[in-house]
Amino acid sequence: MSAAASALELRDVVLSVGPPGAERVLLRGADLRVGEGEKVLLSGLDLEARTSLTALLDGRMPPRYGTVSAGPVRSGRLGRVSPSRTTTVLDAGDRPGPAGPADLPCADDPGCVLVLAGSAWSGMGVPGRYRSLRLDGGQFVEVEPVAAPREPARVPLAELQARTVEALLAAGIGHEAAEAASDVLVDAERRGHRSHGVALLPTYLRRIKEGGIRAEARPRLTEVTPAVAAIDADGGIGQVAARMAAEWCASRAAAHGLAAVAVHGNNHVGMLAAYRHAFQERQVAGLLLNTSGPSVAAPGAARPTLGSNAICLITPTREGEPFCVDLATGVVAAGKIRDAANRGVPVPSGWLQDLSGAATTDPRELDRDGSIPLFGDYKGLCVTLLAEILAGALAGHRVSPDVGKQRKHLDQVMNCSQLFVGFSPRHLGPPDEPSLEGFVHRLREAVRAGHAAEPPRPWFPDQPEEDHAALADARGAEVPRSVLDELGWGPS
């Protein structure tokens, strides 16, 4: 900021609201300086915070501690009060509505303007040269502007595979492990799940460097019975132990009718549906469950205390691809929010809450201790608890509050766990119908029959993946240019 004279200044200000003993402290020794003619967007404020700060700035509420220096201040709602040559404080509301970014005063307008706004305004492009701040922990923190979105690049799948393997080999990962991880990441790109694709690779490489992923790890499988096994992943790259589990589980289920493998001491394993091939080859149904670090808020909660755990059902078909149901228990996978950040675009409303529990569309809030709501309210909580008990407590002797977050603790093994269960239709069903494919077709037709006319595609869970795969096979996978830049792969 320039050394121009201050129009408004807060020094070491403490501001609290509410009755004694139940105060809410809004400012904790906060400092703020707004120069003459400067325009500032202050986001992350709920209604009480905006009302209280407005009263502080226009002189109607004294600070509990510190000093507020300001000349004449006008205040009001955005769109209803015009800026003057003095200081204007505008309440922009929780999110853009009838009065939005286009109504914000331009940089060339006279006087200084302080816009108080909810979390949904954070990082938004605004007219002119605005300084963007947010309230975090009682302090005013600078917000980096969101970069203008760039069109993703199309990268041929073979090139993406080769580059991913090369990057992992250079980081010290063995060839077999590098191939396993690359297969899973590129498969996710091919099927349209960029959240679980090569955008994860920079994090993997940092974790290898810092020790959170042990490059020299050797997973160890212990057979408990001919159909039950446990795998110690040894803190290695997660796809290796997960692939081992899928192969052993599918093979033993095909032989014995039912098999289960528990994996513990593992790191991120990627998209669970990527392990479908072992089950398809052996004509075995697979139920795969995974726990992850806290990123999800329980119904009504503001803080992330549970994992966006994953559940996947693989149903084999007679040929081609199996039918897969693969979902996270948050309303969206965390990686889809980070994909939006990589592309410089906001996330849809309802996907994310900031640290205060307020809804936000700024994807960067996830890594500022924001949270993803659970899908389906309390029914969604029940579903995620299935994974917590089966994949967490049973398979790994820990649940998601005990699992490390891979971006936050780069030097620590996540210690997430998985449970893979295989079911053989040949053993469990009537002898005259060993295939499940006909039943999947029956369910497709039941969904179709619920529509008065032919339903628009997609109308069944595997159709988006089919469409993305066909496009990726023909034209390559879409990769955000920010990811390519971070990996040093340059334009493609």
Side-chain angles (χ1 to χ4, degrees):
M1 202 177 101
S2 69
S6 296
L8 184 153
E9 189 167 2
L10 277 63
R11 297 179 185 172
D12 200 21
V13 169
V14 175
L15 178 66
S16 60
V17 296
E23 300 100 333
R24 177 189 179 191
V25 181
L26 295 174
L27 302 181
R28 301 175 184 272
D31 297 313
L32 175 65
R33 181 174 178 270
V34 182
E36 294 284 359
E38 189 178 16
K39 308 297 184 288
V40 176
L41 174 67
L42 177 55
S43 62
L45 307 173
D46 58 22
L47 177 59
E48 182 179 53
R50 297 195 303 272
T51 301
S52 302
L53 282 177
T54 299
L56 174 75
L57 297 172
D58 66 15
R60 290 178 290 121
M61 177 185 291
R64 184 172 178 181
Y65 183 84
T67 59
V68 178
S69 302
V73 174
R74 300 175 68 241
S75 62
R77 292 281 298 179
L78 176 65
R80 298 181 186 176
V81 175
S82 300
S84 66
R85 296 190 177 276
T86 59
T87 298
T88 306
V89 177
L90 298 174
D91 184 343
D94 291 324
R95 56 184 54 82
D103 297 288
L104 295 174
C106 292
D108 295 334
D109 287 346
C112 85
V113 176
L114 183 62
V115 179
L116 309 182
S119 297
W121 286 82
S122 180
M124 292 189 63
V126 294
R129 296 176 296 278
Y130 267 69
R131 184 158 60 111
S132 186
L133 305 173
R134 62 185 171 88
L135 188 62
D136 187 350
Q139 303 291 326
F140 299 110
V141 179
E142 296 280 350
V143 175
E144 296 179 7
V146 176
R150 294 187 292 166
E151 286 296 316
R154 285 275 179 189
V155 183
L157 295 175
E159 178 184 346
L160 205 57
Q161 179 90 16
R163 285 189 168 191
T164 302
V165 170
E166 182 182 5
L168 290 168
L169 291 174
I173 297 294
H175 195 275
E176 184 178 349
E179 289 277 3
S182 178
D183 287 347
V184 173
L185 297 182
V186 175
D187 186 46
E189 294 284 359
R190 177 177 180 268
R191 289 165 67 86
H193 296 289
R194 284 190 304 216
S195 58
H196 287 64
V198 296
L200 291 167
L201 184 57
T203 299
Y204 286 5
L205 297 176
R206 285 192 291 270
R207 288 180 56 74
I208 294 166
K209 182 178 180 180
E210 296 294 329
I213 293 176
R214 298 171 182 162
E216 71 287 354
R218 297 292 183 270
R220 297 179 295 276
L221 184 147
T222 301
E223 290 191 10
V224 182
T225 74
V228 176
I231 295 176
D232 179 353
D234 195 31
I237 198 158
Q239 289 83 356
V240 178
R243 175 177 283 187
M244 179 187 293
E247 291 287 344
W248 194 94
C249 180
S251 175
R252 294 306 175 93
H256 300 286
L258 190 66
V261 185
V263 183
H264 64 271
N266 210 4
N267 280 302
H268 191 267
V269 301
M271 181 181 70
L272 288 181
Y275 303 97
R276 64 194 180 277
H277 301 295
F279 296 91
Q280 171 68 12
E281 288 170 7
R282 295 168 178 85
Q283 291 294 291
V284 167
L287 177 63
L288 285 53
L289 303 100
N290 175 70
T291 58
S292 60
S295 62
V296 164
R303 294 177 55 245
T305 56
L306 298 170
S308 186
N309 304 315
I311 298 176
C312 177
L313 177 66
I314 299 166
T315 305
T317 57
R318 292 188 185 276
E319 58 184 27
E321 288 282 355
F323 171 67
C324 295
V325 174
D326 189 359
L327 71 153
T329 49
V331 294
V332 66
K336 294 189 187 300
I337 295 174
R338 293 196 176 94
D339 176 56
N342 288 334
R343 292 182 289 122
V345 298
V347 296
S349 178
W351 276 22
L352 187 60
Q353 300 176 161
D354 65 15
L355 181 60
S356 71
T360 178
T361 59
D362 183 355
R364 298 170 299 176
E365 290 294 334
L366 180 62
D367 289 326
R368 297 171 183 154
D369 292 325
S371 59
I372 303 167
L374 273 169
F375 85 92
D377 201 59
Y378 275 89
K379 289 188 177 181
L381 179 58
C382 292
V383 173
T384 207
L385 292 177
L386 295 178
E388 293 283 5
I389 300 300
L390 295 175
L394 190 154
H397 289 186
R398 62 175 60 214
V399 288
S400 64
D402 309 315
V403 173
K405 300 183 74 169
Q406 65 170 343
R407 291 172 179 266
K408 192 171 185 178
H409 307 294
L410 295 173
D411 60 340
Q412 299 174 24
V413 175
M414 289 177 66
N415 276 313
C416 59
S417 54
Q418 296 82 39
L419 181 67
F420 287 28
V421 186
F423 308 86
S424 168
R426 183 172 62 87
H427 289 79
L428 299 176
D432 58 340
E433 183 53 66
S435 172
L436 299 177
E437 186 171 23
F439 296 104
V440 174
H441 178 73
R442 178 76 180 92
L443 292 170
R444 289 182 192 273
E445 292 306 308
V447 173
R448 185 201 298 262
H451 296 262
E454 180 69 14
R457 189 177 176 94
W459 49 267
F460 213 66
D462 58 344
Q463 291 174 338
E465 284 85 355
E466 288 178 356
D467 295 344
H468 280 290
L471 183 60
D473 289 344
R475 298 180 52 200
E478 277 193 351
V479 183
R481 293 187 184 272
S482 61
V483 174
L484 296 177
D485 292 345
E486 189 174 5
L487 289 166
W489 291 354
S492 180

